[in-house]
């Protein structure tokens, strides 16, 4: 707790109207959003790389964002860091009665039902109503693949889902056919719409195959980086530039990268 208090005191000094840092004083909730998102992704990157020293530092950077937002809220009389910590502590205890309240669940399915019921009650209480959509609470600011996964998962928990991955594969093929038709029509808006439908169906397929689409695409991105870097090295050793090579030559280097395990 000593270091937490130190962090909050530093944040208060940075936001002091008379002696604080000009950059920190210029910030508001909206201006910090890009930094908050960036820090969350840098945490994920450190985990994926297995760099736990970096993970410690990146978690600190993310914690700074929590402290920063909390300090600005405190200045407005909205809430403070302690209220943020209390809110998540209360939520964890409420959602884990089998740990904190001595309630036994007969199965994981029953425990999951309690978790979902608790979340629905929290959303209803927050919105001041007893109804509302089960999709409420899925943030629209999430990366699109992650948002699609969460929307589908939420709907599936309430019975709206395919029975098996084979049916989802058929849906992917259907959406691909519709995209081809849209491309042939030359209607840009229609192409964008059908591309969105295809991507949504692919996320659904990934979910049914127990694959996180966001993670899979990030891994695909890293693979592309490795293989393209291999191509660049091959081209450089040949004394050429990328733009000097034909597509067939670059494809041959790509195949070589695959055989080399990149």
């Amino acid at each position: 707790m000593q270091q937490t208090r130190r962090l909050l005191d530093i944040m208060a000094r940075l936001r002091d109207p008379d002696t604080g840092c000009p950059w920190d004083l210029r910030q508001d909730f909206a201006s910090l959003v890009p930094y908050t998102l960036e820090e969350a992704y840098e945490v994920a990157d450190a985990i994926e790389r297995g760099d736990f020293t970096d993970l410690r530092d990146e978690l600190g950077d993310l914690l700074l964002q929590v402290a920063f937002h909390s300090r600005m809220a405190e200045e407005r009389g909205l809430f403070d860091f302690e209220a943020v910590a209390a809110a998540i502590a209360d939520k964890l205890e409420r959602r884990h009665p089998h740990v904190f309240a001595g309630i036994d669940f007969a199965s994981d399915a029953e425990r999951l039902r309690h978790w979902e019921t608790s979340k629905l009650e929290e959303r209803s209480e927050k919105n001041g109503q007893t109804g509302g959509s089960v999709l409420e609470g899925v943030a629209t600011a999430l990366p699109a693949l992650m948002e699609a996964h969460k929307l589908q998962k939420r709907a599936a928990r309430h019975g709206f889902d395919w029975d098996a991955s084979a049916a989802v594969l058929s849906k992917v093929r259907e959406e691909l056919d519709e995209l081809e038709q849209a491309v042939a029509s030359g209607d840009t808006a229609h192409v964008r719409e059908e591309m969105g439908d295809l991507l949504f169906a692919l996320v659904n397929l990934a979910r049914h195959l127990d694959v996180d689409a966001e993670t899979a695409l990030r891994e695909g991105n890293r693979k592309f980086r490795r293989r393209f870097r291999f191509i660049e090295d091959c081209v450089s050793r040949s004394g050429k530039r990328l733009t000097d090579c034909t597509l067939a030559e670059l494809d041959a280097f790509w195949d070589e990268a695959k055989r080399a395990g990149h």
Side-chain angles (χ1 to χ4, degrees):
M1 293 300 294
Q2 181 179 356
Q3 295 303 319
T4 302
R5 185 68 261 168
R6 179 185 172 208
L7 171 63
L8 297 179
D9 288 344
I10 289 172
M11 197 67 252
R13 287 190 63 183
L14 291 172
R15 290 282 298 180
D16 186 283
D18 299 320
T19 60
C21 169
W23 185 89
D24 290 276
L25 287 167
R26 285 197 303 271
Q27 304 313 306
D28 57 25
F29 295 117
S31 69
L32 285 183
V33 167
Y35 301 101
T36 305
L37 293 174
E38 179 181 348
E39 298 303 348
Y41 278 112
E42 289 182 355
V43 166
D45 180 65
I47 293 171
E48 290 171 358
R49 290 185 286 104
D51 188 336
F52 296 105
T53 299
D54 199 22
L55 175 59
R56 177 202 61 199
D57 294 341
E58 297 300 345
L59 285 171
D61 291 343
L62 186 57
L63 180 59
L64 168 61
Q65 295 300 309
V66 178
F68 207 147
H69 283 283
S70 298
R71 178 62 196 179
M72 292 188 297
E74 185 176 358
E75 292 166 0
R76 298 187 185 188
L78 301 173
F79 56 82
D80 59 11
F81 186 90
E82 285 299 313
V84 172
I88 187 58
D90 290 345
K91 182 183 294 185
L92 288 171
E93 289 180 347
R94 186 167 58 250
R95 292 187 182 179
H96 296 82
H98 51 296
V99 176
F100 299 104
I103 295 177
D104 292 327
F105 292 115
S107 64
D108 286 340
E110 185 179 343
R111 187 158 46 246
L112 179 61
R113 280 194 297 273
H114 171 81
W115 178 275
E116 288 300 318
T117 299
S118 296
K119 289 170 67 176
L120 185 59
E121 290 173 351
E122 290 164 9
R123 289 194 296 273
S124 297
E125 181 179 344
K126 183 183 297 184
N127 295 333
Q129 57 188 24
T130 56
S133 172
V134 299
L135 301 180
E136 289 176 3
V138 178
T140 57
L142 287 169
L145 291 179
M146 191 182 299
E147 181 188 5
H149 179 91
K150 286 183 173 293
L151 289 171
Q152 294 165 4
K153 190 175 180 181
R154 185 75 62 82
R157 287 175 179 169
H158 294 270
F160 189 73
D161 198 11
W162 300 100
D163 292 331
S165 59
V168 191
L169 270 170
S170 295
K171 183 63 175 177
V172 169
R173 295 188 184 100
E174 175 188 327
E175 296 297 351
L176 182 57
D177 288 341
E178 292 180 2
L179 175 59
E180 290 177 344
Q181 293 169 17
V183 171
S185 74
D187 186 333
T188 302
H190 191 200
V191 169
R192 183 173 62 249
E193 178 186 358
E194 294 300 340
M195 179 63 76
D197 290 346
L198 176 59
L199 290 171
F200 194 85
L202 286 169
V203 172
N204 219 338
L205 178 60
R207 183 176 59 85
H208 272 266
L209 297 176
D210 199 25
V211 172
D212 180 76
E214 187 80 20
T215 300
L217 183 55
R218 287 170 64 85
E219 290 174 353
N221 291 342
R222 286 198 298 273
K223 183 191 295 183
F224 182 84
R225 287 176 183 270
R226 290 195 307 270
R227 290 180 178 174
F228 195 79
R229 184 58 186 162
F230 181 89
I231 291 173
E232 290 176 316
D233 289 341
C234 290
V235 171
S236 177
R237 286 195 299 270
S238 72
K240 296 182 178 181
R241 296 174 300 178
L242 286 171
T243 52
D244 296 330
C245 300
T246 65
L247 180 57
E249 290 175 312
L250 296 177
D251 273 341
F253 288 141
W254 178 270
D255 291 339
E256 188 177 341
K258 292 173 65 175
R259 290 193 297 270
H262 292 289

